[in-house]
Amino acid sequence: MSLADGAAPAADLPKDRIRDAATIILINRDRADGPAVLMGMRGSAAAFMPSKYVFPGGAVDPEDAAAPCPDALSDTCRARLAVEPLTGVGADALARAALREMVEETGLSVSPSADDPLLFVFRAITPPGRPRRFDARFFLIDARNITGDPNDFSAACDELSHLHWVPLAQARELDLPFITEVVLAEVAALVARTQGPLAEPETVPFFDNRGDEPRFVQLS
């Protein structure tokens, strides 16, 4: 299930309901042409972000809270995820949703660990007036944590087409949602100042569009 979809038909959901969602940004830093991120294109008939290139991700499902994943997130990430909650969804459910969506939409399995966990790098709430609204958390992890062939998308569902590794330096040339452009800029800056293993960002940008006036803060 992608960020465009929900557990119930759209007609059954309140028009302005904000759903919890999670996304994984896979970064491959071992390529000869420089770091690249995995992206795919949404269908032209999608209600949310049609024909746009996005990262794999989607809404949190109830079953995502069924089992903890203690090694997927650092204590710092967990603390930041708990700031200004809209619902009671926990950090483990967000991590599970992100990992599940990666499998569904790309066919790739990612195995974070205590030494190489998911890094919480961005949060954004969809502005009012959109056909779908999400409280989306963006996680970053190195592609070396993929189990299997990172170029094998044969088990992917059909929600994203044109799945491929996009050079980070060229990614913003694609047809992207505005928020994806902003996230890519943050990721590029983080990668540029990281020589070894990916590290926690000093703060996490949060675009809060719950109300009529947009609000931008840094989660520390």
Side-chain angles (χ1 to χ4, degrees):
M1 178 169 54
S2 74
L3 287 175
D5 303 308
D12 297 338
L13 298 174
K15 183 178 179 180
D16 219 30
R17 179 191 177 193
I18 299 174
R19 296 198 64 196
D20 291 297
T23 291
I24 290 184
I25 306 160
L26 273 174
I27 181 85
N28 187 335
R29 297 185 294 163
D30 297 329
R31 294 165 55 98
D33 56 351
V37 289
L38 182 63
M39 304 190 77
M41 189 174 73
R42 296 216 33 76
S44 60
F48 189 71
M49 299 181 179
S51 301
K52 298 288 187 180
Y53 273 91
V54 296
F55 307 114
V60 177
D61 286 346
E63 59 266 27
D64 292 323
C69 42
D71 292 338
L73 299 166
S74 69
D75 291 341
T76 299
C77 283
R78 289 177 182 278
R80 289 171 172 172
L81 288 167
V83 175
E84 298 191 37
L86 296 188
T87 67
V89 68
D92 283 330
L94 290 165
R96 286 285 183 197
L99 295 167
R100 173 181 54 76
E101 289 286 343
M102 177 61 66
V103 174
E104 292 176 4
E105 294 190 343
T106 73
L108 301 180
S109 294
V110 180
S111 299
S113 66
D115 294 328
D116 209 351
L118 295 171
L119 300 179
F120 177 36
V121 296
F122 208 94
R123 179 181 176 186
I125 297 177
T126 311
R130 302 299 196 274
R132 301 284 191 278
R133 296 190 69 195
F134 297 95
D135 184 357
R137 287 75 157 191
F138 294 79
F139 298 101
L140 176 69
I141 193 168
D142 198 293
R144 64 184 177 183
N145 294 283
I146 295 172
T147 303
D149 184 352
N151 297 302
D152 182 5
F153 308 121
S154 60
C157 67
D158 59 0
E159 291 182 12
L160 294 180
S161 62
H162 305 295
L163 281 164
H164 66 292
W165 293 97
V166 184
L168 192 53
Q170 301 172 20
R172 278 179 282 172
E173 299 174 8
L174 298 173
D175 187 2
L176 306 170
F178 166 73
I179 201 64
T180 305
E181 292 187 44
V182 178
V183 174
L184 278 167
E186 291 289 329
V187 169
L190 179 62
V191 170
R193 62 177 180 262
T194 304
Q195 298 301 317
L198 293 172
E200 304 278 1
E202 292 184 2
T203 59
V204 174
F206 176 21
F207 275 77
D208 183 357
N209 290 294
R210 281 174 285 187
D212 295 331
E213 294 292 329
R215 169 176 169 257
F216 176 74
V217 297
Q218 294 282 351
L219 306 177
S220 58

PDB file of all heavy atoms in Angstrom, residues 15-16 126-133:
ATOM      1  N   LYS A  15     -12.616  13.680   5.160  1.00  0.00           N
ATOM      2  CA  LYS A  15     -11.918  14.353   4.068  1.00  0.00           C
ATOM      3  C   LYS A  15     -10.536  14.846   4.470  1.00  0.00           C
ATOM      4  O   LYS A  15      -9.585  14.775   3.685  1.00  0.00           O
ATOM      5  CB  LYS A  15     -12.768  15.516   3.567  1.00  0.00           C
ATOM      6  CG  LYS A  15     -12.167  16.243   2.368  1.00  0.00           C
ATOM      7  CD  LYS A  15     -13.067  17.350   1.892  1.00  0.00           C
ATOM      8  CE  LYS A  15     -12.449  18.081   0.703  1.00  0.00           C
ATOM      9  NZ  LYS A  15     -13.319  19.175   0.221  1.00  0.00           N
ATOM     10  N   ASP A  16     -10.414  15.347   5.688  1.00  0.00           N
ATOM     11  CA  ASP A  16      -9.148  15.950   6.094  1.00  0.00           C
ATOM     12  C   ASP A  16      -8.381  15.084   7.093  1.00  0.00           C
ATOM     13  O   ASP A  16      -7.516  15.597   7.810  1.00  0.00           O
ATOM     14  CB  ASP A  16      -9.415  17.334   6.701  1.00  0.00           C
ATOM     15  CG  ASP A  16      -8.355  18.345   6.280  1.00  0.00           C
ATOM     16  OD1 ASP A  16      -7.820  18.187   5.174  1.00  0.00           O
ATOM     17  OD2 ASP A  16      -8.072  19.272   7.049  1.00  0.00           O
ATOM     18  N   THR A 126       1.094  16.671   5.273  1.00  0.00           N
ATOM     19  CA  THR A 126       0.511  17.181   4.041  1.00  0.00           C
ATOM     20  C   THR A 126      -0.384  18.390   4.333  1.00  0.00           C
ATOM     21  O   THR A 126      -1.181  18.367   5.278  1.00  0.00           O
ATOM     22  CB  THR A 126      -0.340  16.082   3.376  1.00  0.00           C
ATOM     23  OG1 THR A 126       0.417  14.873   3.301  1.00  0.00           O
ATOM     24  CG2 THR A 126      -0.775  16.502   1.976  1.00  0.00           C
ATOM     25  N   PRO A 127      -0.282  19.449   3.538  1.00  0.00           N
ATOM     26  CA  PRO A 127      -1.123  20.638   3.762  1.00  0.00           C
ATOM     27  C   PRO A 127      -2.610  20.342   3.583  1.00  0.00           C
ATOM     28  O   PRO A 127      -2.982  19.368   2.923  1.00  0.00           O
ATOM     29  CB  PRO A 127      -0.627  21.619   2.688  1.00  0.00           C
ATOM     30  CG  PRO A 127       0.722  21.131   2.292  1.00  0.00           C
ATOM     31  CD  PRO A 127       0.681  19.642   2.443  1.00  0.00           C
ATOM     32  N   PRO A 128      -3.467  21.184   4.147  1.00  0.00           N
ATOM     33  CA  PRO A 128      -4.919  21.034   3.945  1.00  0.00           C
ATOM     34  C   PRO A 128      -5.278  21.164   2.470  1.00  0.00           C
ATOM     35  O   PRO A 128      -4.551  21.751   1.674  1.00  0.00           O
ATOM     36  CB  PRO A 128      -5.510  22.196   4.762  1.00  0.00           C
ATOM     37  CG  PRO A 128      -4.449  22.583   5.727  1.00  0.00           C
ATOM     38  CD  PRO A 128      -3.138  22.299   5.051  1.00  0.00           C
ATOM     39  N   GLY A 129      -6.428  20.577   2.124  1.00  0.00           N
ATOM     40  CA  GLY A 129      -6.929  20.699   0.767  1.00  0.00           C
ATOM     41  C   GLY A 129      -6.479  19.627  -0.186  1.00  0.00           C
ATOM     42  O   GLY A 129      -6.922  19.593  -1.338  1.00  0.00           O
ATOM     43  N   ARG A 130      -5.604  18.732   0.253  1.00  0.00           N
ATOM     44  CA  ARG A 130      -5.147  17.643  -0.611  1.00  0.00           C
ATOM     45  C   ARG A 130      -6.127  16.471  -0.525  1.00  0.00           C
ATOM     46  O   ARG A 130      -6.812  16.286   0.488  1.00  0.00           O
ATOM     47  CB  ARG A 130      -3.755  17.177  -0.195  1.00  0.00           C
ATOM     48  CG  ARG A 130      -2.692  18.264  -0.205  1.00  0.00           C
ATOM     49  CD  ARG A 130      -2.496  18.858  -1.601  1.00  0.00           C
ATOM     50  NE  ARG A 130      -1.255  19.611  -1.700  1.00  0.00           N
ATOM     51  CZ  ARG A 130      -1.112  20.884  -1.378  1.00  0.00           C
ATOM     52  NH1 ARG A 130      -2.149  21.562  -0.910  1.00  0.00           N
ATOM     53  NH2 ARG A 130       0.059  21.494  -1.508  1.00  0.00           N
ATOM     54  N   PRO A 131      -6.197  15.619  -1.590  1.00  0.00           N
ATOM     55  CA  PRO A 131      -7.114  14.479  -1.559  1.00  0.00           C
ATOM     56  C   PRO A 131      -6.738  13.433  -0.514  1.00  0.00           C
ATOM     57  O   PRO A 131      -7.583  12.650  -0.088  1.00  0.00           O
ATOM     58  CB  PRO A 131      -7.027  13.902  -2.975  1.00  0.00           C
ATOM     59  CG  PRO A 131      -5.719  14.398  -3.508  1.00  0.00           C
ATOM     60  CD  PRO A 131      -5.504  15.744  -2.880  1.00  0.00           C
ATOM     61  N   ARG A 132      -5.479  13.370  -0.113  1.00  0.00           N
ATOM     62  CA  ARG A 132      -5.014  12.516   0.973  1.00  0.00           C
ATOM     63  C   ARG A 132      -4.083  13.353   1.832  1.00  0.00           C
ATOM     64  O   ARG A 132      -3.349  14.204   1.329  1.00  0.00           O
ATOM     65  CB  ARG A 132      -4.239  11.295   0.452  1.00  0.00           C
ATOM     66  CG  ARG A 132      -5.014  10.394  -0.490  1.00  0.00           C
ATOM     67  CD  ARG A 132      -6.010   9.515   0.239  1.00  0.00           C
ATOM     68  NE  ARG A 132      -6.537   8.511  -0.669  1.00  0.00           N
ATOM     69  CZ  ARG A 132      -7.530   8.712  -1.536  1.00  0.00           C
ATOM     70  NH1 ARG A 132      -8.072   9.914  -1.642  1.00  0.00           N
ATOM     71  NH2 ARG A 132      -7.950   7.739  -2.320  1.00  0.00           N
ATOM     72  N   ARG A 133      -4.093  13.087   3.144  1.00  0.00           N
ATOM     73  CA  ARG A 133      -3.180  13.812   4.035  1.00  0.00           C
ATOM     74  C   ARG A 133      -2.445  12.810   4.916  1.00  0.00           C
ATOM     75  O   ARG A 133      -3.048  11.848   5.421  1.00  0.00           O
ATOM     76  CB  ARG A 133      -3.940  14.817   4.906  1.00  0.00           C
ATOM     77  CG  ARG A 133      -4.599  15.924   4.099  1.00  0.00           C
ATOM     78  CD  ARG A 133      -5.124  17.014   5.001  1.00  0.00           C
ATOM     79  NE  ARG A 133      -4.018  17.756   5.612  1.00  0.00           N
ATOM     80  CZ  ARG A 133      -4.165  18.563   6.660  1.00  0.00           C
ATOM     81  NH1 ARG A 133      -5.353  18.701   7.248  1.00  0.00           N
ATOM     82  NH2 ARG A 133      -3.127  19.221   7.141  1.00  0.00           N
TER      83      ARG A 133
END
